[in-house]
Amino acid sequence: MGLEREIISWLSEQAPIGDDCAVLSCEPWGTLLVTVDSVIDGVHAHWDEHGPGAFGYKAVARGMSDIAAMGGEPLWAVVAATFPDGATLDDAKALHKGAARAGCKLVGGDTASGPVATVTATVIGRTHKKGPVLRSGARIGDGIYVTGPLGGSLRSGRHLRFVPKVEEARRLRDAADLGAMIDLSDGLSTDLHHILDASGVGCVLDAKSIPLHEGCALQNALGDGEDYELLFTAAGTPPLGVRIGEIIEQGAMLRLAHGEEVPFGPTGYEHDS
């Protein structure tokens, strides 16, 4: 288990976390969704190569994707930026323009100077009238779906210009019998296991049904991450999405092209023979 998963596991013992957003009851006004994401130079993007606008855009867009993953509507964003030595007012303007381009209203933030460029966005949204979609809602017999092709996001640069699937999430929440949903930031295998663990179920994935970006292989879909498509389970036939598997009682199996089923974990699949 990596450090990030260890921290999340420990935090979940301290407070009821585990979904893409915090769900806050604010009656009589409704229920809010709150999430926070950081973009760090050298980790999620490169300041000198991609520019401050990419940092602003990605930080806010990641938060909007989290809201979409719970079937909600992003409303406002607060952005905190740490500017590296040598940064200029033009850099700040470019960062702000990029953050605004993501499509969420900017309502505040903070600035500081430091050794590493970091942009952190807190995004606040509201739940659908049906309520939030949780990771823990997958049901035995649900189909497993994804909203688009996977793999190769980092090497292609798509991770800096993806469009959060807000409209797709609204359509799904309006018309589909959703079980669980998550946005694909850590790779199909890892994020699907988040759903399986939270719901206490298993799955069978059909390798040949998983949509891939051009030039990508199955392993890219399972492990690359940063796709920001929606992964969801649903009963019946949803209005959009590609069916890639089914929720079963237990286990996590990958059905290969020739029909053999092999177990897979959070970073890919394991073949014993």
Side-chain angles (χ1 to χ4, degrees):
M1 181 184 293
L3 177 59
E4 182 179 358
R5 288 173 64 84
E6 286 187 70
I7 293 172
I8 292 172
S9 178
W10 178 80
L11 285 173
S12 66
E13 297 173 358
Q14 316 306 311
I17 67 169
D19 284 288
D20 290 276
C21 306
V23 181
L24 305 179
S25 177
C26 299
E27 297 300 341
W29 302 283
T31 302
L32 296 182
L33 299 171
V34 182
T35 186
V36 61
D37 282 288
S38 295
V39 177
I40 303 168
D41 188 20
V43 178
H44 305 101
H46 297 279
W47 184 267
D48 292 337
E49 177 183 355
H50 301 125
F55 276 64
Y57 179 86
K58 184 171 183 178
V60 175
R62 289 178 73 189
M64 294 174 65
S65 185
D66 283 340
I67 299 285
M70 297 188 72
E73 177 189 3
L75 297 175
W76 309 288
V78 178
V79 177
T82 300
F83 290 94
D85 293 339
T88 66
L89 178 60
D90 284 342
D91 289 331
K93 291 179 179 178
L95 191 153
H96 182 276
K97 184 177 180 179
R101 184 167 53 87
C104 195
K105 184 176 182 180
L106 302 181
V107 295
D110 184 50
T111 61
S113 298
V116 178
T118 304
V119 179
T120 299
T122 299
V123 179
I124 303 168
R126 61 186 168 202
T127 60
H128 190 276
K129 61 185 179 182
K130 293 182 179 178
V133 184
L134 306 180
R135 298 180 183 181
S136 57
R139 303 153 299 195
I140 296 171
D142 275 1
I144 303 171
Y145 298 84
V146 67
T147 53
L150 308 177
S153 182
L154 290 170
R155 68 170 181 262
S156 68
R158 281 191 300 273
H159 69 109
L160 298 174
R161 58 178 185 269
F162 71 92
V163 177
K165 306 299 182 185
V166 175
E167 175 60 21
E168 290 85 344
R170 184 195 64 76
R171 288 179 59 197
L172 287 168
R173 197 65 177 120
D174 281 347
D177 182 7
L178 294 176
M181 189 155 64
I182 192 171
D183 68 330
L184 288 170
S185 58
D186 295 329
L188 174 60
S189 62
T190 295
D191 288 320
L192 178 53
H193 271 80
H194 289 324
I195 287 178
L196 301 182
D197 292 345
S199 299
V201 294
C203 76
V204 175
L205 275 187
D206 185 8
K208 68 178 183 297
S209 298
I210 298 172
L212 303 174
H213 278 288
E214 184 176 356
C216 291
L218 175 62
Q219 283 298 126
N220 299 122
L222 292 173
D224 282 359
E226 299 273 328
D227 289 304
Y228 297 102
E229 297 290 341
L230 296 176
L231 174 70
F232 62 96
T233 77
T237 303
L240 57 93
V242 177
R243 183 175 174 126
I244 61 172
E246 182 177 351
I247 296 294
I248 60 175
E249 186 172 352
Q250 60 184 355
M253 305 300 292
L254 181 68
R255 183 181 297 119
L256 303 178
H258 49 75
E260 181 185 7
E261 293 186 0
V262 296
F264 74 98
T267 57
Y269 69 89
E270 301 171 0
H271 203 311
D272 295 332
S273 60

